[in-house]
Amino acid sequence: MGRSRNLNREVWESSPFYGGEDVKTNPTSSTTEQEAIIDEIIAGSLQAQQKTGPDLRQIHSKSHGLLWGEFIIEPNLPEDLKVGLFKTPQTYPAWIRFSSGGSPEKRGKFRSDSQPDVRGIAIKVMNVDGQKVLDDEEKTQDFILNNYPIFLTKDVRDYADLSKAGSGELTPERLEELGYAFAILQKIGSQKVGNPLLIQYWSQAPFKFGSRIVKLSLKSQQPEQPPETLPESENYLRETLVKYLTEEGREASFDFLIQFYVDDEKTPIEDHIQEWQEADSPFIKVATVRIPSQKFDFEERKRLDEGILFSPWHTLLEHEPVGSVNLSRKRLYSELAKYRREQIAQRLREPQPYEAVED
């Protein structure tokens, strides 16, 4: 058992989700105590962000490219699918960000692309009319997806405890209970991605679709076979996008898919580690994401990339996020982005000595 506990600690500390040993929470299920868990996760994340780069993202910090594209609603959708953003067939402009999930290793140092990490895509659809859940952006609809179909823990309580795995605070029994999460971390880390434009992504958590519940997926129309070996370059994912979109002048397209809730046994809402199987709930295409050939690897675009905020809560009411994991994201994403933007504004308003910046 001792070796198992040590291995679990090693898996967590080497994972892209490890942010230090500062998060301290107690397992609980009540709404009040769940809010307290989220408070502690935010506090630990802010503390880690201060150490590794206060004006950088703490989650999905390493960008492989911010691209412009189109979000094209499918024509001739059946009436029951004409909901919210998908009510009218039209083409929306979009910003699309590809990233890796890990936090910065230290100021100015990101995790190498050759190391295990979750790969993500964030889409900001623009010129979207309608009533929004949050009021900080008036005409956007965001979607955030990762390259693995399930989340790494069943719920927020387990996620908070997983954050303490490297601190020595958890009992051997609790570490054993979290063994499933360490196994998921290893599976996520084993995914080999050669080109982020040629794989599939999943929302992991559910969302409203009018009066119904769905999960989301984004599937490349030109899927690649997982490469046997990966390039050694620390930034090969950005280099791959540059080669594909800029040097070779190619474009990429994805099918945007939804998967309907069936029942609590086959498609549970709160058990975030049970995959919704296609046999139980087939994917349905409702849109196309098109990324034209383009130049994007320049400083002005990188500045826009750092300033832009993606959140699943930038959404029409008809597509409101559902479940405890999404609820935690509402405050976590907002608080981290607010802090990051405040730090950027402060550095522009009044520069600090090098000892304070350490970049």
Side-chain angles (χ1 to χ4, degrees):
M1 182 179 295
R3 173 56 187 158
S4 175
R5 291 199 298 270
N6 290 336
L7 177 60
N8 287 345
R9 176 170 178 164
E10 291 167 6
V11 169
W12 171 245
E13 290 183 348
S14 65
S15 80
F17 303 95
Y18 178 66
E21 303 179 358
D22 299 302
V23 178
K24 295 177 172 60
T25 60
N26 295 313
T28 181
S29 58
S30 76
T31 301
T32 302
E33 290 178 319
Q34 182 169 305
E35 284 295 311
I37 290 175
I38 296 172
D39 285 341
E40 294 292 344
I41 293 174
I42 290 173
S45 297
L46 288 173
Q47 191 170 13
Q49 188 170 5
Q50 178 62 37
K51 294 178 181 178
T52 58
D55 53 353
L56 298 175
R57 287 177 171 87
Q58 180 63 20
I59 302 171
H60 283 269
S61 57
K62 185 174 184 178
S63 173
H64 309 306
L66 178 67
L67 314 173
W68 66 270
E70 297 175 329
F71 195 92
I72 307 166
I73 308 302
E74 280 290 285
N76 305 315
L77 287 174
E79 288 301 315
D80 65 327
L81 299 183
K82 293 181 178 179
V83 174
L85 180 67
F86 308 93
K87 196 170 186 178
T88 306
Q90 60 180 298
T91 297
Y92 294 93
W95 285 113
I96 302 158
R97 182 179 189 264
F98 290 90
S99 63
S100 291
S103 304
E105 293 182 338
K106 59 182 180 179
R107 293 197 183 200
K109 175 65 175 175
F110 294 106
R111 182 183 292 262
S112 171
D113 293 348
S114 62
Q115 295 180 10
D117 207 339
V118 65
R119 313 302 179 185
I121 183 171
I123 304 169
K124 185 176 289 292
V125 186
M126 294 171 290
N127 299 343
V128 178
D129 293 320
Q131 187 175 357
K132 305 299 195 301
V133 175
L134 300 181
D135 58 7
D136 61 326
E137 293 189 7
E138 296 181 1
K139 290 183 176 291
T140 60
Q141 169 72 50
D142 293 2
F143 298 107
I144 297 177
L145 306 96
N146 291 303
N147 71 318
Y148 201 69
I150 60 173
F151 195 57
L152 68 157
T153 62
K154 296 176 182 176
D155 50 36
V156 176
R157 187 201 76 176
D158 282 4
Y159 180 79
D161 278 358
L162 192 64
S163 302
K164 299 188 294 184
S167 68
E169 292 182 62
L170 300 181
T171 64
E173 291 75 20
R174 184 58 177 147
L175 284 171
E176 291 297 325
E177 291 173 355
L178 292 173
Y180 78 92
F182 297 112
I184 292 173
L185 278 171
Q186 288 183 310
K187 289 180 181 178
I188 292 175
S190 70
Q191 306 297 304
K192 292 183 178 180
V193 176
N195 188 335
L197 297 169
L198 306 180
I199 63 173
Q200 186 169 1
Y201 301 86
W202 294 264
S203 66
Q204 299 181 333
F207 296 80
K208 288 183 180 179
F209 195 84
S211 60
R212 304 168 75 181
I213 303 295
V214 298
K215 283 189 177 182
L216 315 171
S217 184
L218 196 68
K219 186 176 183 179
S220 172
Q221 293 182 1
Q222 308 92 12
E224 70 171 359
Q225 291 296 320
E228 293 185 6
T229 59
L230 297 175
E232 295 181 359
S233 170
E234 289 193 356
N235 302 305
Y236 82 83
L237 291 172
R238 175 176 285 270
E239 292 163 1
T240 297
L241 295 184
V242 170
K243 180 180 179 182
Y244 192 96
L245 296 170
T246 305
E247 296 174 2
E248 297 178 355
R250 302 167 72 179
E251 68 173 47
S253 294
F254 294 85
D255 292 336
F256 189 90
L257 311 167
I258 61 172
Q259 191 179 25
F260 281 106
Y261 167 85
V262 176
D263 58 44
D264 286 341
E265 180 179 348
K266 296 176 180 177
T267 53
I269 291 174
E270 283 298 345
D271 185 353
H272 291 85
I273 65 166
Q274 181 175 328
E275 184 176 357
W276 291 14
Q277 300 295 330
E278 287 191 63
D280 298 321
S281 180
F283 284 113
I284 302 170
K285 182 178 179 179
V286 292
T288 298
V289 175
R290 175 178 172 267
I291 303 174
S293 61
Q294 59 189 274
K295 294 181 179 179
F296 64 91
D297 191 32
F298 51 89
E299 289 306 312
E300 185 177 351
R301 181 67 60 82
K302 292 176 182 178
R303 287 195 294 270
L304 176 61
D305 189 339
E306 278 306 312
I308 201 168
L309 166 62
F310 293 93
S311 169
W313 290 89
H314 287 153
T315 177
L316 294 166
L317 291 177
E318 294 92 333
H319 307 306
E320 184 175 357
V322 174
S324 60
V325 167
N326 269 330
L327 184 62
S328 69
R329 285 172 170 171
K330 184 177 185 180
R331 290 184 52 211
L332 179 62
Y333 285 26
S334 177
E335 291 291 331
L336 292 179
K338 179 182 177 182
Y339 179 73
R340 176 164 56 90
R341 288 175 168 177
E342 287 174 350
Q343 293 297 315
I344 292 172
Q346 178 181 331
R347 291 182 70 171
L348 292 175
R349 184 173 60 249
E350 184 175 352
Q352 299 296 306
Y354 173 77
E355 290 79 4
V357 177
E358 294 181 357
D359 59 0

